Amino acid sequence: MRNSFIQTKVAGLIIFLALNLFTSNLKAQTNNPRRQVVLQGFWWDYWNNNYPNGWSNYIVEIAPRLKSLGIDAVWIPPTIKNTGTNSVGYAPFDHYDLGDKYQKGNVKTRMGDKDELLRMVAVLKANGIDVIQDIVLNHVTGAGSGTGQGGQDVTAMDDGSTSKYKNFRYSCFNTPANNETSANYLSREGRFPKNWTNFYPNASNPCCTNPINSPYWGPDISYESTAFGSSGNATFNPNQTSNYMRDNMRNWMIWYKKQVGWDGVRLDAVKHFPSYVAEDYLWNIQFGSLWANGGEDMFAVGEWVGGTSELDSWTAAVQSRAGTFDFGLRNALSGIISGNGGFDLGTVPSYQQQNRYKTVPFVNNHDTFRPEKDANGNYIGWDSGNELAPHIEPNDGRKSVVHAIILAVDGAPQIFFEDLFNIGYLSNRLTHSPSNETELPVYSDMENLLWCHQNLHFKEGNYLVRWQAADALVIEREGKALVAVNDQWTTWQNLVGVQTSWSDGTILTDYSGANGTNTITVYGGGKVDIAIPPCDGSALLGRRGYSIWAPAGITTNYVQPNKRITQEWEMAGDLGDRHNLSLKQGGALPTNSDQCRVVGKIFVKAGEKVKLELYPENANNSITVLYADKDCTVFDSISAAGTIVDSIVPNYSGWLTVKIKNTTATQTGQKCWVKLNYMAPEVVDPTVTKTNCACTISFANLEESEISTTNIYPNPTNDFLNVTFEKVLSEKLNINFIGMDGRMLDHFELNGGNDAYNLSTEKLKPGVYFIEITQGTATSRHQFVKL
């Protein structure tokens, strides 16, 4: 539709300018990790019935509220394909499946599909909010097909825990999961296959003697250089070499950062893999990811559950590329809650870890907060056996005290979702609308504390402890604010002569509102007299246990600028998927064909430029880029050989699909990389229709047409479902019953030789389902109702 304005002879200049453009853009988006307020955007078993297997869409809807509250960053759970959508992210299976491949009986992860995930990150960025990606590096699990076949390698050394299920093979564009047999599974050629030799124990590395080599949650990764070798029974069995796991996990981390566009990381369970591995990966996503480098100020935190000296030791071991969750300080906060006024507040600063460059003070997270819930999601008890530390109840009267402390001390405070939003007592955990302030209300004290932290600019002032007593602690952020706390239930603390850095005559006011509109004046060489309310809620506005003093007259002044996002897709045969039930994205360009390949979808804002860069493996072959609108209509295109730099300006807000193809049908195939820089809308209706916009795909010697099914009856059905075909089937059949959320609920492997089959539906509850029938590479899918 347009003539290319890019010529190969100037590609070098274009690459230089484009890289500088994207790099500069990223630097401008980086928040200082020492002051960010980070919301943990999920709880342990996060779910909402309005967003089944679509938590990305839930976060999209709540994003504007988070911006208005002053949230700087959102910590999201692991987003790669797990053993099933019943997993909340910490049971990783395929590192290169972000919800686009059909495997484990589903396309989606608990977060949604890949398009929805990428949209969520873009929308958060559009609201000025960074994204902190949770990453699991110590184990993988779920070896085997959707029915477990092919996962076990009987030649493996036994770890006493995983029954030798250590064959990890993955579907991809070249080899989709056409059935769930062992033969099909073990021949899948998806990127980063893993064998038993990559886990403890292997010939050079024994297991089960320390936290690093023990399989707590699945086959435990052995990062030693000697942990490589072949599978004992896999058909696809590529050669492995020294440092296989370390090198490939590093490559994945860089790919992951480029593809999704997240800004920082939370590393799970860091005591369970070597610190030199963590340091390696942190350096590479800070400085080894080209245009996607996070830089020195990239947010990074490791989860080490231990004492202060252990936290400091790990931080030093990773050369301060990451901080830790300050479990030492958290012990003091837990003591304040359980002490019921008997804890010595003056000792709180002594609990902090010493290396606080990137420390993350916190009150609760998904590992310390495991409530037992009724059918409506209300708290009815506590699963304390699975809590890494004692929980702190969101309705505890001293909760505001401990949150005031984590916002006052050095570090990037992490706020737990259930501490910010009241979701434990309103009987609507599973049904509320996240954008509705009545259905999902904010705790008033938390809203005020966040406002004070951001608009009084706590972290722009040095951390000074100004008063330490058994029942009162005062921290000054130099020249910015005094944060004062009191753990007594009914007694005010009236402090006389608190030293500050303000000059005499400065007028201060209490921005908590607990002292009303009263002001105080600095006197006697920087001293003030302040009052701190008790924790019973009797103060004005119901404030509990804290007051915050700063110069009078400050109004809302903290604004997070909207941010563009850059995401990069690698088009290769060992990535993506062409299964009929997948997103049908990815794949290298084919040889001697002009069939297109779908790069991916982005969610664009009307009137905002979309910038594209395409880097081919072979600069001599012309490639055509196609832009399709939300209805899959191609509205623009460009063709060129070599690097392509292009831009378009959409006239609507919504989904945009990018496709590529060989310009002629006489070219050799190749990989290529496509990078998109764009702005998403701040406010998005996550229920907007998303059309697949797939390319027509055909492969030599492979039949892609559907199986000719003549009838499925009775429909609706009670106990059995009959399936008939036009002719007797000679080959084996695989049939799945699939729920509307995409989960596989039952599986049948049937021999050929018949033209009709009778299937029991006893495992299904009443509802609407799909029946998926697969024979060889042919697939058919139909809907039915169980009464």
Side-chain angles (χ1 to χ4, degrees):
M1 295 182 185
R2 287 177 295 162
N3 292 323
S4 170
F5 60 86
I6 302 301
Q7 300 296 325
T8 304
K9 64 182 179 181
V10 297
L13 174 61
I14 291 167
I15 294 171
F16 173 79
L17 292 174
L19 288 175
N20 276 279
L21 168 65
F22 285 120
T23 302
S24 298
N25 187 42
L26 284 173
K27 286 182 178 177
Q29 296 173 14
T30 303
N31 286 327
N32 189 323
R34 288 169 284 178
R35 60 150 309 279
Q36 283 182 301
V37 176
V38 180
L39 175 73
Q40 181 172 0
F42 62 102
W43 57 91
W44 171 242
D45 52 348
Y46 58 94
W47 186 265
N48 185 297
N49 291 339
N50 301 317
Y51 309 89
N53 296 321
W55 196 250
S56 294
N57 299 326
Y58 180 97
I59 297 297
V60 160
E61 186 162 332
I62 204 174
R65 291 189 67 189
L66 301 183
K67 178 175 183 174
S68 69
L69 289 166
I71 298 299
D72 292 306
V74 172
W75 159 19
I76 63 173
T79 53
I80 67 173
K81 183 64 60 67
N82 274 216
T83 54
T85 53
N86 59 313
S87 172
V88 296
Y90 297 91
F93 170 67
D94 184 353
H95 291 89
Y96 286 95
D97 184 351
L98 301 180
D100 57 313
K101 303 181 186 183
Y102 179 75
Q103 51 186 351
K104 292 297 182 183
N106 209 331
V107 174
K108 293 187 174 186
T109 69
R110 188 71 164 246
M111 294 293 291
D113 66 29
K114 181 178 180 178
D115 298 335
E116 294 165 337
L117 169 66
L118 299 186
R119 177 177 65 178
M120 176 198 69
V121 178
V123 169
L124 285 170
K125 300 285 284 184
N127 281 276
I129 299 171
D130 284 353
V131 177
I132 311 303
Q133 178 65 68
D134 204 327
I135 293 181
V136 178
L137 293 173
N138 64 305
H139 71 277
V140 292
T141 191
S145 70
T147 56
Q149 297 187 60
Q152 190 177 46
D153 186 344
V154 296
T155 67
M157 296 176 67
D158 193 3
D159 60 18
S161 175
T162 60
S163 301
K164 302 185 179 182
Y165 274 82
K166 296 185 176 182
N167 276 326
F168 289 87
R169 295 297 184 271
Y170 306 118
S171 62
C172 62
F173 200 87
N174 287 345
T175 55
N178 288 319
N179 59 64
E180 302 301 332
T181 64
S182 176
N184 180 277
Y185 176 79
L186 291 172
S187 65
R188 297 175 190 173
E189 300 177 1
R191 187 170 299 183
F192 199 10
K194 304 166 188 72
N195 304 325
W196 71 268
T197 50
N198 306 136
F199 305 97
Y200 296 108
N202 51 65
S204 303
N205 306 286
C207 84
C208 318
T209 61
N210 58 59
I212 288 180
N213 67 12
S214 298
Y216 291 100
W217 302 284
D220 197 69
I221 295 174
S222 176
Y223 281 104
E224 290 81 2
S225 61
T226 53
F228 65 94
S230 300
S231 164
N233 58 335
T235 307
F236 178 65
N237 209 355
N239 184 52
Q240 294 186 0
T241 57
S242 178
N243 279 312
Y244 181 80
M245 290 303 288
R246 184 173 175 181
D247 290 348
N248 278 279
M249 199 70 89
R250 183 194 306 113
N251 293 339
W252 166 69
M253 287 275 283
I254 295 170
W255 172 89
Y256 197 15
K257 191 173 192 311
K258 290 180 176 180
Q259 172 66 94
V260 180
W262 38 257
D263 304 277
V265 291
R266 181 257 188 191
L267 302 182
D268 184 62
V270 293
K271 70 167 60 177
H272 295 286
F273 58 94
S275 57
Y276 63 80
V277 170
E279 194 277 333
D280 174 355
Y281 297 163
L282 288 166
W283 185 93
N284 274 278
I285 57 176
Q286 287 175 325
F287 304 109
S289 301
L290 300 175
W291 64 266
N293 285 342
E296 187 68 36
D297 278 342
M298 185 191 75
F299 182 97
V301 62
E303 183 212 23
W304 183 294
V305 183
T308 300
S309 62
E310 292 177 296
L311 302 179
D312 287 334
S313 295
W314 185 83
T315 304
V318 299
Q319 300 182 39
S320 294
R321 301 195 187 284
T324 56
F325 292 101
D326 195 340
F327 273 92
L329 176 62
R330 211 279 178 172
N331 289 337
L333 306 183
S334 180
I336 292 170
I337 299 298
S338 63
N340 293 316
F343 190 86
D344 185 350
L345 288 180
T347 65
V348 168
S350 68
Y351 281 77
Q352 293 177 262
Q353 65 181 106
Q354 296 303 303
N355 190 332
R356 299 199 290 272
Y357 174 63
K358 289 184 178 178
T359 186
V360 177
F362 74 106
V363 172
N364 281 314
N365 64 35
H366 68 292
D367 282 326
T368 69
F369 195 87
R370 298 285 180 90
E372 296 172 342
K373 301 182 289 291
D374 65 18
N376 295 314
N378 293 335
Y379 309 141
I380 56 174
W382 298 93
D383 183 14
S384 56
N386 283 312
E387 292 180 339
L388 296 181
H391 63 269
I392 293 176
E393 227 276 8
N395 267 13
D396 191 285
R398 293 179 175 83
K399 167 193 161 183
S400 299
V401 173
V402 295
H403 278 92
I405 290 171
I406 69 164
L407 288 161
V409 300
D410 280 342
Q414 174 250 303
I415 309 296
F416 183 52
F417 192 96
E418 301 199 37
D419 283 332
L420 180 58
F421 295 105
N422 181 0
I423 199 172
Y425 297 100
L426 301 182
S427 298
N428 66 351
R429 176 187 293 268
L430 304 177
T431 58
H432 67 270
S433 168
S435 60
N436 188 311
E437 296 182 12
T438 301
E439 294 184 16
L440 184 65
V442 177
Y443 287 106
S444 176
D445 280 6
M446 293 299 300
E447 185 173 13
N448 173 253
L449 285 166
L450 288 172
W451 187 96
C452 291
H453 181 278
Q454 303 295 48
N455 292 281
L456 303 180
H457 302 280
F458 283 11
K459 299 303 166 60
E460 292 179 16
N462 293 324
Y463 169 44
L464 304 170
V465 180
R466 292 301 197 181
W467 193 279
Q468 291 174 274
D471 299 320
L473 174 68
V474 181
I475 295 170
E476 181 185 352
R477 299 310 305 204
E478 188 174 14
K480 298 300 178 182
L482 286 178
V483 183
V485 295
N486 165 23
D487 69 346
Q488 293 302 294
W489 190 248
T490 59
T491 305
W492 282 74
Q493 299 297 310
N494 296 292
L495 309 183
V496 177
V498 178
Q499 184 65 52
T500 76
S501 61
W502 287 290
S503 60
D504 292 356
T506 303
I507 297 174
L508 306 182
T509 190
D510 178 11
Y511 283 87
S512 77
N515 286 279
T517 58
N518 294 336
T519 60
I520 59 175
T521 303
V522 180
Y523 70 92
K527 294 182 172 58
V528 292
D529 303 336
I530 63 173
I532 319 171
C535 296
D536 63 354
S538 60
L540 292 174
L541 304 178
R543 296 290 182 246
R544 296 177 180 270
Y546 76 96
S547 58
I548 299 177
W549 303 85
I554 299 174
T555 57
T556 299
N557 56 51
Y558 184 74
V559 179
Q560 296 129 309
N562 298 356
K563 303 173 185 178
R564 297 174 65 85
I565 190 167
T566 304
Q567 294 165 331
E568 181 180 88
W569 289 255
E570 180 181 350
M571 304 296 291
D574 61 349
L575 297 176
D577 193 1
R578 59 181 170 86
H579 192 283
N580 286 336
L581 300 182
S582 75
L583 294 188
K584 292 189 175 181
Q585 296 178 2
L589 290 174
T591 296
N592 295 330
S593 171
D594 59 359
Q595 292 176 12
C596 71
R597 298 288 183 259
V598 175
V599 175
K601 283 185 182 293
I602 58 176
F603 204 90
V604 297
K605 183 177 181 179
E608 290 285 347
K609 184 178 293 186
V610 177
K611 305 173 185 177
L612 174 142
E613 296 177 31
L614 184 148
Y615 300 95
E617 195 173 40
N618 185 342
N620 296 319
N621 292 338
S622 179
I623 294 174
T624 298
V625 178
L626 306 167
Y627 301 97
D629 65 16
K630 58 186 184 299
D631 299 316
C632 299
T633 301
V634 174
F635 65 90
D636 209 342
S637 65
I638 185 173
S639 299
T643 299
I644 298 175
V645 176
D646 190 31
S647 66
I648 59 167
V649 180
N651 60 7
Y652 68 94
S653 293
W655 292 108
L656 183 150
T657 302
V658 177
K659 305 179 181 182
I660 58 174
K661 65 176 185 176
N662 291 323
T663 304
T664 70
T666 58
Q667 299 173 196
T668 57
Q670 62 173 318
K671 295 200 306 183
C672 61
W673 292 260
V674 179
K675 182 163 57 172
L676 295 169
N677 175 275
Y678 63 99
M679 176 73 79
E682 291 180 61
V683 180
V684 170
D685 176 4
T687 65
V688 64
T689 300
K690 179 168 74 77
T691 309
N692 195 302
C693 300
C695 294
T696 300
I697 303 169
S698 64
F699 280 70
N701 303 318
L702 289 179
E703 177 58 52
E704 294 290 326
S705 62
E706 290 189 344
I707 298 171
S708 182
T709 309
T710 59
N711 201 8
I712 295 176
Y713 68 93
N715 188 10
T717 183
N718 283 311
D719 302 319
F720 294 93
L721 193 66
N722 295 291
V723 184
T724 62
F725 300 89
E726 290 181 346
K727 59 182 180 180
V728 173
L729 301 177
S730 59
E731 298 180 14
K732 185 183 296 184
L733 279 174
N734 282 275
I735 298 180
N736 297 325
F737 287 159
I738 299 173
M740 295 300 289
D741 61 359
R743 286 184 294 168
M744 184 175 69
L745 304 175
D746 204 355
H747 173 77
F748 306 86
E749 187 171 329
L750 307 172
N751 291 323
N754 297 299
D755 62 359
Y757 297 85
N758 181 265
L759 308 173
S760 171
T761 62
E762 62 180 354
K763 293 185 180 180
L764 305 181
K765 298 177 181 179
V768 181
Y769 300 92
F770 290 108
I771 178 173
E772 175 192 286
I773 307 166
T774 302
Q775 185 183 54
T777 61
T779 299
S780 179
R781 201 181 210 205
H782 309 270
Q783 192 176 96
F784 69 95
V785 176
K786 168 70 181 292
L787 297 175

